[in-house]
């Protein structure tokens, strides 16, 4: 409502809306205008209301209408109805009628995306998860739930703002496209962007695994891991293992049928990515086997090799052995048994050796007869206990060593060896058994039957010998040690004489000769007081030696001097300390030089004499005489190195990257300039890599190329500088070039070392590649910049100079009718005009010429149609005029305003006034006429200008009418001015105008409506009224959507747009949409202001999609993830990780590959664990394939062996075969040989002469066997050998003592050959210990009626016959 002035009244006010700057308030008399009207400017009547149309002189202060209400007549203040709102005080509103509610005054219609209850002062936004497409809504129920398959992520949306994310569903009312609770469940995948129910997630495709939220390119299904298969719908940890007996080295298997059966000869445990291992020896593995010992070779067969695939590959057990099921090496029949047929399955299949025979070897096939003088044991319970007791001898055959025959004991069946016939008995048969010897072959009382008696005893020959006494006939007792007996037939020990001083009388009790006289002089190294028995009772002890150089003539013991040692008793002189050892004074044994040192000479007296191992060499063990060898190539040794591969960094180390170390290196040698090395352990200069083409390697010790070759240069390989080769003229090169490039057509390069070519300049051409200078363009042609060929000037043009970049158009008035002209051809004909570029002398209707136009004339050479106009005041109505005589004078009554007219001009033009004698319709000379001035109007034919009427304006001269002041301008005194930036001006705006509200701005002049104020752009905020530009960018850590009025939106405010930067995103200054943290990072915090605020994915984890609030999960088994990894299975190191390499393993969550531990190997990449080393092989740390490390001969390697010498065959054993798997593969050292150390592939050598080695001997002089007892039994069964005793001899390599042959005697222990021939007049029957035996067993005095020549072949006394009486004389009659 408005008023017009009849009475001045201060009680009625009119408030001009949207006028915060002028705030026009008019107070009138009670005469009211109707609603929507206002008084006219003269205040005489009411007109429709227009804001800002009231004059400023009528303003008075009135109260503004309160927020949420409207004031249609200046009196009432009712609230805005539901569905509308009134902004708070001072907020301007748009003047568009479409935004106002009819009948509600200044109440604005509630916008779409909001609702406005009755009396609202601002719209309430629909919450995230809802939207409202309709304006004018009044309650929260009008906000519609976000439709299924889409998400409404912000408040105040008119339409859903995003699609559902792949791998997620968006049910009705979703506020996020990827809410965790709405992720597709494990085992499913969602590749569509419009899913709204989890039932729409499709089953994971067969051959793949789907974690929660799988779908789209960011998180596709993962391939089924190697060794497993995945049917449709497989979820993580739900993949199925390939069954035992099958394997697979491929990923993405869909069913068990795709797993390959284990090949014959191999076995495969479950989920095997490769066949697990070869079949164990002693077994066979048909196709599909799942254990190496699943199928043992049947009983009675064996197999020594790995990888057998058929039962037919098992061989029959050989004779002399038995093979239980699963035998890899036949078990030899034990000593004392034999087996003559093949195919034995158990030990019971070996037959006990029969009595009178022996089976002396493991694996005996045929028993051997004992021979006369020997017997063998075979258990026989029928032997009377009294005889067993009477025998009273020890014998072999028990695991406890020796058992005494008695009523409660029995022999084990079968003998491994024969024993000499026992003392008191004789064995006259070839196959005498124990039973026969004890019952039937007893020596009579009063006689002596020595051990090994092979004949019936003789009364004379078997008399008790000298040095003995025989109280009974079953044994000759030697005189006690320290005494001797010179006479035969002694009956007691009292008859033996004491041994004199300086001599010894001794027997060890095993020699049958006793002590018939003092045994000998006291040996060197010993002292012998009177009555000395054992000559070695008082030796010089170790650490001292015997010295008899004293004047008394008696030996004394002195300590060994420094540099010498005495390692055994009774040494007569010290031994020099050997090289590699040192010996202090009194040393009993040499001490080895410590590890890392050596001794290269004898006689070192202390450890200080040992030399440290030199640089470039190593000393691997103590006691060395010199360095073990040069440092291994790929390593360097700095002194005192213990190994050719030092790794401790003190004595040496592996050759570092950038260097190489040939054998014997003391220091790393840097790779020379032009080369590099990115790996350690280089062995030679040739392993340094030449710098690749395009790169250079400056200096030495490069671990990577130094950089790219410089532009203008090229590097062909091995470059030591970035300037290896300079590019020549006509060529160029870019950074990293490996060859020069010729300048292409149209370019050239005059300089050297250039990185680009110049375009051929205008006026030249470059017709071939690689030019150093351009070629001049010829006359009649033109060459544009970059030309490769000159172009002829087209018709209508010419070129009169060389090096022309363009052709000149044929000059006006001339013509050029041919191409390639160096000059124009001639002048244009009269009556025609030729403009520039004419190709004919008489053009008609061409762009470059025509007949001379009306109002003009054209003499020869005319170059323009209006070149020669008819003068002002004249005109010409014909074409083709050739001179000025063709022009006619202008007719009276018309104006001829210009020259060249084809008719009189006519009346004076509108906007002008003409005063008379005018030559133009628009005179401006001020004499004949002029333009209509500003503020006036001049219709056609005006004689003078007319002023504009009131309310109109004319802001330019030459107007024929005045105009109303338009919208977008404000008018004053008939002139208009544009509405300034930051404001808007509706129609008829005067001196007052309206500011744009907060959240909007106006950068330009002339805005006419409030709705044309621009919404503040997304990423910026507009915080004040009347802005001509945004206040500034949104603050870092926040995002601002369009229309933001603050720089830090809270996200919950109804007056701002945007909010804090959410977790998983970052918002730099000016952000309109939060930027997701890049792949490989995550963030769990608000207000991130830059991408560096996103946390790099930790080692062992991966962040597989953008916008994560936490890592996606651990790195997959078989892969390693470095910081920032974006995939659980990175394909390579450029992706922050990669597949686990061979010889390493990577369990789940690995940040760097772990080397396989010793005893394991890995020949595959992408493995979560290493495989145990196969039996028969060894695997040091970091092993790729066990097959390169077969177990060496002399050792055995069970499954999981860590190094080659971990399990050596013990001393006394050897193993000739490589790739052995168990201790059973170690064989006892064969008879006659010894195996002197661990880990031997063959016997060390033959037993020393004078010694014998039974089996498993570990020294060339075994000492664990008491050789032969007085009962002639070999003891114990487990002994390895011993020293040969008197009466026997042992050549080198003897498996057992050999009895001294008949006719010879063996008078000492340790003899390699018999001592000599039997003395003349005596005979030696075998086993004689002296040249004159008297015991009647091993020999005796030649008996009456016989003669004994001592001939070596003589075995028994010769009985005289008539044929043998030579030299016997008259005694023939007595024969």
């Amino acid at each position: 409502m408005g008023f017009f002035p009849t009475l001045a009244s201060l009680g009625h006010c009119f408030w001009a809306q949207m006028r915060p700057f002028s705030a026009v308030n008019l107070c009138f008399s009670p005469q009211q205008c109707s609603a929507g009207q206002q008084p006219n400017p003269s205040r005489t009547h009411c007109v429709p209301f227009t804001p800002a149309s009231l004059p400023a002189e009528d303003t008075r202060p009135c109260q503004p209408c309160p927020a949420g209400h409207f004031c249609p007549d200046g009196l009432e203040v009712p609230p805005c109805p539901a569905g509308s709102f009134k902004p708070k005080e001072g907020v301007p509103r748009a003047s568009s009628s479409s935004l106002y509610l009819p009948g509600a005054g200044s109440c604005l219609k509630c916008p779409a995306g909001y609702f406005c209850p009755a009396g609202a002062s601002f719209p309430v936004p629909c919450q995230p998860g809802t939207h409202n497409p309709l304006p004018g809504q009044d309650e929260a129920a009008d906000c519609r739930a976000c439709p299924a398959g889409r998400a409404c992520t912000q408040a105040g949306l008119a339409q859903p703002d995003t699609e559902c994310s792949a791998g997620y569903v968006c049910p009705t009312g979703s506020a996020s496209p990827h809410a965790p609770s709405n992720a597709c469940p494990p085992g499913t995948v969602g590749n569509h962007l419009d899913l709204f129910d989890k039932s729409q997630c499709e089953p994971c495709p067969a051959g793949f695994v789907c974690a929660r939220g799988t779908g789209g390119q960011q998180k596709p299904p993962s391939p089924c891991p190697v060794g497993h298969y995945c049917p449709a719908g497989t979820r993580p940890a739900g993949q199925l293992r390939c069954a035992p007996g099958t394997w697979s080295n491929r990923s993405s298997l869909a069913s068990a049928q795709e797993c390959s059966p284990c090949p014959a000869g191999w076995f495969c445990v479950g989920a095997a990515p490769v066949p697990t291992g070869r079949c164990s020896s002693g077994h066979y593995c048909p196709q599909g086997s799942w254990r190496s010992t699943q199928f043992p070779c049947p009983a009675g067969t064996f197999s020594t090799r790995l990888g057998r695939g058929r039962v037919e590959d098992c061989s029959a057990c050989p004779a002399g052995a038995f093979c239980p099921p699963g035998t890899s090496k036949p078990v030899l029949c034990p000593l004392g048994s034999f087996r003559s047929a093949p195919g034995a399955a158990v030990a019971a299949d070996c037959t006990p050796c029969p009595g009178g025979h022996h089976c002396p070897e493991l694996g005996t096939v045929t028993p051997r007869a004992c021979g006369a003088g020997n017997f063998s044991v075979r258990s026989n319970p029928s032997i009377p206990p009294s005889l067993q007791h009477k025998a009273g001898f020890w014998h072999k055959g028990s695991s406890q060593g020796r058992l005494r025959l008695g009523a409660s004991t029995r022999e084990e069946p079968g003998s491994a060896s024969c024993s000499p016939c026992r003392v008191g008995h004789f064995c006259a048969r070839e196959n005498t058994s124990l039973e026969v010897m004890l019952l039937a072959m007893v020596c009579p009382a009063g006689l002596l039957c020595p051990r090994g008696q092979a004949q019936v005893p003789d009364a004379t020959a078997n008399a008790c010998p000298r040095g003995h006494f025989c109280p009974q006939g079953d044994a000759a007792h030697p005189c006690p040690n320290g005494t001797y007996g010179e006479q035969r037939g002694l009956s007691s020990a009292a008859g033996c004489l004491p041994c004199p001083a300086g001599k010894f009388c001794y027997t060890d009790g095993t020699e049958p000769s006793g002590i018939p006289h003092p045994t000998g002089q006291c040996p060197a190294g010993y002292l012998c007081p009177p009555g000395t028995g054992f000559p070695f009772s008082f030796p010089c002890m170790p650490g001292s030696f015997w010295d008899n150089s004293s004047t008394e003539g008696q030996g004394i013991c002195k300590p060994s001097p420094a540099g010498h040692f005495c390692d055994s008793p009774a040494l007569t002189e010290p031994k020099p300390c050997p090289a590699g050892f040192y010996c202090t004074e009194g040393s009993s044994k040499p001490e080895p030089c410590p590890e890392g040192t050596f001794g290269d000479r004898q006689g070192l007296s202390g450890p200080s004499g040992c030399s440290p191992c030199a640089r470039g060499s190593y000393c691997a063990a103590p006691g060395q005489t010199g360095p073990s060898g040069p440092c291994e190539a790929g390593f360097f040794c700095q002194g005192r190195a213990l190994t050719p591969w030092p790794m401790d960094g003190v004595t040496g180390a592996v050759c570092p990257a950038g260097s190489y170390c040939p054998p014997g290196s003391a220091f790393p040698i840097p790779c020379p300039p032009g080369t590099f090395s990115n790996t350690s352990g280089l062995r030679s200069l040739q392993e340094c890599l030449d710098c690749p083409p395009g790169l250079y390697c400056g200096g030495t010790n490069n671990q990577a190329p130094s950089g790219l070759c410089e532009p203008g240069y090229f590097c062909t390989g091995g470059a030591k500088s970035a300037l290896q080769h300079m590019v020549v003229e006509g060529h160029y090169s870019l950074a990293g070039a490996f060859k020069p490039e010729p300048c292409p057509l149209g370019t050239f390069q005059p300089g050297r070392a250039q990185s680009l070519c110049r375009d051929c300049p205008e006026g030249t051409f470059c017709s071939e590649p690689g030019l150093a200078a351009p070629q001049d363009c010829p006359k009649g042609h033109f060459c544009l910049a970059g030309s490769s060929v000159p172009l002829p000037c087209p018709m209508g043009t010419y070129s009169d100079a060389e090096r022309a970049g363009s052709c000149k158009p044929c000059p006006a008035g001339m013509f050029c009718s041919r191409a390639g002209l160096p000059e124009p051809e001639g002048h244009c004909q009269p009556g025609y005009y030729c403009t520039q570029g004419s190709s004919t002398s008489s053009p008609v209707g061409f762009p470059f010429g025509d007949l001379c136009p009306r109002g003009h004339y054209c003499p020869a050479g005319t170059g323009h149609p209006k070149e020669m106009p008819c003068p002002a005041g004249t005109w010409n109505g014909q074409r083709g005029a050739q001179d000025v005589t063709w022009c006619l004078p202008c007719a009276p009554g018309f104006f001829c305003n210009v020259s060249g007219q084809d008719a009189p001009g006519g009346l004076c033009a509108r906007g002008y006034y003409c005063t008379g004698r005018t030559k133009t319709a628009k005179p401006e000379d001020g004499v004949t006429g002029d333009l209509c001035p500003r503020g006036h109007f001049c219709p056609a034919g005006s004689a003078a200008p007319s002023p504009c009427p009131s309310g109109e304006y004319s802001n330019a001269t030459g107007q024929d009418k005045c105009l109303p002041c338009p919208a977008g301008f404000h008018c004053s005194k008939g002139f208009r001015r544009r509405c300034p930036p930051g404001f808007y001006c509706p129609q008829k705006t005067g001196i007052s105008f309206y500011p744009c509200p907060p959240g909007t701005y106006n950068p330009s002049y002339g805005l006419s409506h409030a709705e044309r104020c621009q919404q503040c752009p997304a990423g910026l905020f507009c915080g004040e009224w009347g802005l001509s530009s945004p206040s500034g960018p949104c603050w870092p850590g926040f995002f601002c959507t369009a229309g933001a009025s603050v720089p830090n939106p809270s996200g919950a405010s109804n007056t701002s747009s945007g909010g804090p930067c959410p977790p998983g995103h970052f918002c730099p200054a000016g952000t309109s949409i939060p930027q997701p943290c890049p792949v490989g990072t995550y963030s769990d915090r608000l207000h991130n202001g830059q991408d560096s605020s996103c946390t790099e994915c930790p080692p062992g984890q991966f962040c597989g999609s953008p916008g994560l609030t936490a890592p996606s999960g651990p790195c997959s088994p078989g892969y390693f993830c470095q910081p920032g990894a974006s995939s659980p299975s990175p394909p390579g190191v450029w992706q922050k990780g990669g597949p686990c390499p061979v010889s390493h393993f990577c369990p789940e969550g690995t940040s760097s590959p772990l080397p396989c531990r010793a005893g394991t190997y890995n020949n595959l990449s992408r493995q979560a664990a290493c495989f145990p080393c196969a039996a028969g092989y060894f695997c040091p740390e970091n092993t790729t394939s066990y097959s390169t490390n077969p177990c060496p001969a002399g050792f055995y390697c069970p499954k999981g062996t860590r190094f080659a010498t971990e399990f050596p065959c013990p001393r006394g054993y050897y193993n000739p075969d490589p790739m052995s798997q168990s201790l059973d593969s170690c064989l006892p050292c064969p008879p006659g040989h010894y195996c002197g150390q661990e880990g031997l592939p063959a016997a060390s050598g033959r037993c020393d002469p004078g010694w014998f080695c039974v089996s498993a001997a570990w020294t060339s002089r075994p000492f664990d066997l008491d050789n032969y007892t007085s009962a002639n039994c070999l003891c114990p069964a487990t002994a390895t050998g011993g020293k040969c005793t008197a009466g026997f001899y042992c050549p080198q390599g003897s498996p057992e003592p050999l009895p001294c042959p008949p006719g010879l005697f063996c008078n000492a222990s340790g003899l390699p050959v018999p001592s000599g021939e039997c003395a003349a007049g005596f005979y030696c029957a075998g086993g004689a210990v002296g040249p004159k035996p008297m015991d009647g067993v091993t020999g005796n005095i030649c008996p009456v009626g016989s003669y004994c020549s001592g001939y070596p072949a003589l075995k028994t006394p010769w009985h005289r016959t008539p044929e043998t009486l030579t030299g016997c004389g008259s005694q023939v009659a007595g024969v």
Side-chain angles (χ1 to χ4, degrees), residues 797-1184:
T797 65
Y798 73 101
S799 175
D800 57 356
E802 294 182 343
R803 299 181 62 90
S806 61
C807 295
K808 300 176 181 179
C810 212
M814 309 290 286
F815 71 96
C816 300
S817 63
R818 291 181 294 110
L821 289 175
E823 58 185 13
E825 291 183 89
H827 291 286
C828 198
Q829 296 183 10
Y832 297 87
Y833 69 92
C834 297
T835 61
Q836 209 175 39
S838 177
S839 62
T840 177
S841 61
S842 54
V844 177
F846 288 105
F848 50 76
D850 204 348
L851 287 168
C852 199
R854 296 180 180 90
H856 296 76
Y857 61 95
C858 299
T862 299
H864 192 275
K866 297 183 180 181
E867 182 176 348
M868 306 296 288
C870 287
T874 65
W875 61 283
N876 174 26
Q878 297 182 4
R879 298 182 65 194
Q882 299 181 1
D883 53 45
V884 71
T885 61
W886 290 49
C887 297
L888 303 175
C890 192
F894 293 90
F895 67 90
C896 296
N897 56 333
V898 293
S899 61
Q901 288 186 252
D902 61 354
L907 297 175
C908 194
R910 291 183 300 174
Y912 290 83
Y913 62 95
C914 300
T915 60
R917 299 185 303 276
T918 304
K919 296 182 179 180
T920 174
K922 299 177 180 180
E924 296 184 4
D925 57 4
V927 178
T928 61
D930 210 339
L931 282 169
C932 200
R934 295 180 65 184
H936 298 74
F937 66 99
C938 299
S942 294
S946 301
C948 285
S950 177
E952 296 181 356
Y953 75 98
S954 173
N955 61 352
T957 60
Q959 299 299 313
D960 65 341
K961 61 180 179 180
C962 295
L963 303 174
C965 193
F969 293 85
H970 62 96
C971 300
S972 174
K973 298 180 179 180
F975 293 95
R976 69 174 187 177
R977 295 176 179 84
R978 298 181 67 189
C979 201
F983 298 84
Y984 63 95
C985 300
Q987 191 177 20
K988 297 183 181 180
T989 298
I991 60 173
S992 299
F993 25 89
Y994 305 90
C996 288
T1000 65
Y1001 76 104
N1002 172 27
S1004 58
Y1005 288 88
L1007 201 65
S1008 59
H1009 298 90
E1011 58 268 22
R1012 293 186 181 177
C1013 291
Q1014 298 182 24
Q1015 195 174 33
C1016 206
L1020 303 174
F1021 77 98
C1022 301
E1024 301 177 8
W1025 293 85
L1027 291 176
S1028 61
S1029 63
S1031 303
C1034 196
W1035 287 356
F1038 296 86
F1039 68 98
C1040 297
T1041 57
S1045 59
V1046 293
N1048 55 341
S1050 65
S1053 172
N1054 292 320
T1055 61
S1056 63
S1057 298
C1061 203
H1065 296 74
F1066 66 95
C1067 301
T1071 295
S1072 59
I1073 299 175
Q1075 302 296 310
C1077 284
V1079 173
T1081 66
Y1082 74 98
S1083 173
D1084 55 2
R1085 298 180 291 109
L1086 293 169
H1087 303 105
N1088 288 329
Q1090 53 188 0
D1091 57 355
S1092 61
S1093 302
C1094 298
T1095 303
E1096 189 174 43
C1097 214
Q1101 304 279 320
F1102 76 98
C1103 299
S1105 58
L1108 292 177
T1109 59
S1112 304
C1115 197
S1116 295
Y1119 293 83
F1120 66 97
C1121 295
Q1122 296 174 339
S1126 60
S1127 169
S1129 51
V1133 295
W1134 301 113
Q1135 285 74 30
K1136 306 287 187 179
C1140 205
V1142 295
S1143 74
H1144 293 72
F1145 68 102
C1146 299
E1148 184 180 66
T1150 295
S1151 59
S1152 60
L1154 304 173
C1156 285
R1157 301 183 182 95
T1160 65
Y1161 77 101
N1162 188 4
N1163 60 345
L1164 302 174
S1165 59
R1166 299 179 174 86
Q1167 299 303 305
C1170 296
F1171 307 108
C1173 199
Y1177 298 85
F1178 67 94
C1179 298
E1181 185 175 329
N1182 213 21
T1183 293
T1184 300

Side-chain angles (χ1 to χ4, degrees), residues 462-834:
N462 290 81
C464 195
R466 289 186 181 89
H468 294 76
F469 64 96
C470 300
Q472 297 181 1
D474 58 355
H477 299 281
C479 286
N481 287 334
T483 66
Y484 67 99
E486 294 180 333
Q487 303 296 322
R488 295 183 65 191
L490 295 180
S491 61
S492 68
C496 299
L497 302 175
C499 201
K503 297 186 178 183
F504 67 93
C505 300
Y506 176 75
T507 177
D508 59 4
T510 61
E511 299 180 1
S513 61
I515 309 177
H517 47 74
T519 308
Q521 295 293 332
C522 197
Y526 296 85
L527 298 176
C528 294
T532 298
F534 185 62
F536 307 110
S537 298
F538 306 101
C540 285
M541 300 306 294
S544 64
F545 69 99
W546 185 74
D547 182 16
N548 65 346
S549 62
S550 64
T551 57
E552 292 80 4
Q554 294 183 356
I556 59 173
C557 296
K558 291 184 177 181
S560 59
H564 296 73
F565 71 98
C566 298
D567 60 345
S568 60
L571 287 181
T572 59
E573 62 179 82
K575 302 177 182 179
C577 207
F581 295 78
Y582 65 90
C583 302
T584 58
E585 183 179 15
S587 293
S588 60
K589 64 176 181 179
E591 293 295 332
C593 284
E595 289 181 332
T597 67
F598 66 92
D600 56 357
R601 57 189 176 86
Q602 294 183 341
L604 298 181
S605 60
S608 60
C610 299
S611 303
C613 214
R615 294 178 181 270
S617 60
Y618 72 98
C619 299
Q624 297 203 170
T625 59
S628 302
C631 198
E632 185 72 18
F635 295 79
F636 63 95
C637 299
Q638 302 183 121
R640 293 185 178 270
L642 308 183
T643 170
W645 313 281
M647 298 293 288
D648 56 6
V650 177
T651 63
V654 67
C655 207
S659 302
Y660 66 95
C661 299
S665 291
F667 301 98
I669 302 175
C671 284
T675 66
F676 76 100
S677 165
N678 56 5
T679 58
S680 59
L682 265 61
R683 301 163 62 90
S684 66
L685 174 62
Q686 289 71 26
E687 294 184 2
C688 293
L689 303 176
D690 284 339
C691 216
L695 303 173
Y696 77 96
C697 300
T700 62
N701 207 30
N702 288 314
Q703 299 182 14
S706 304
L708 297 174
C709 199
E710 287 290 336
Y713 296 82
F714 63 97
C715 300
T716 58
K720 303 176 183 178
S721 163
L723 313 176
Q724 184 183 20
H725 300 292
M726 182 184 293
V727 174
V728 299
E729 295 86 344
H731 294 72
Y732 74 99
S733 70
L734 302 177
F738 62 89
K739 64 176 182 178
E741 298 292 340
C743 288
L745 295 176
T747 65
F748 74 102
Q749 178 51 259
R752 300 166 65 89
Q754 299 301 311
S755 61
L756 50 81
C757 294
R758 303 180 186 178
D759 283 338
C760 224
E762 188 177 273
T764 64
F765 67 98
C766 299
S767 60
E768 57 185 69
L771 287 179
Q775 300 160 288
D776 290 343
C777 204
K779 291 181 179 181
H781 295 72
F782 70 98
C783 299
L784 301 175
S787 292
S788 60
V789 293
L791 301 175
C793 288
M795 290 190 302
T797 65
Y798 73 101
S799 175
D800 57 356
E802 294 182 343
R803 299 181 62 90
S806 61
C807 295
K808 300 176 181 179
C810 212
M814 309 290 286
F815 71 96
C816 300
S817 63
R818 291 181 294 110
L821 289 175
E823 58 185 13
E825 291 183 89
H827 291 286
C828 198
Q829 296 183 10
Y832 297 87
Y833 69 92
C834 297

Side-chain angles (χ1 to χ4, degrees), residues 127-131 144-154 157 160-164 168-179 181-182 195-197:
Q127 294 303 303
T130 65
H131 74 290
R144 306 178 183 181
C146 205
R150 295 178 66 82
C152 301
T153 63
Q154 304 182 47
L157 290 178
D161 62 341
T162 185
E163 296 177 319
C164 202
Y168 293 82
V169 300
C170 295
T172 301
S174 293
S176 171
H178 44 72
S181 60
N182 291 333
L195 305 182
F196 57 84
D197 189 84

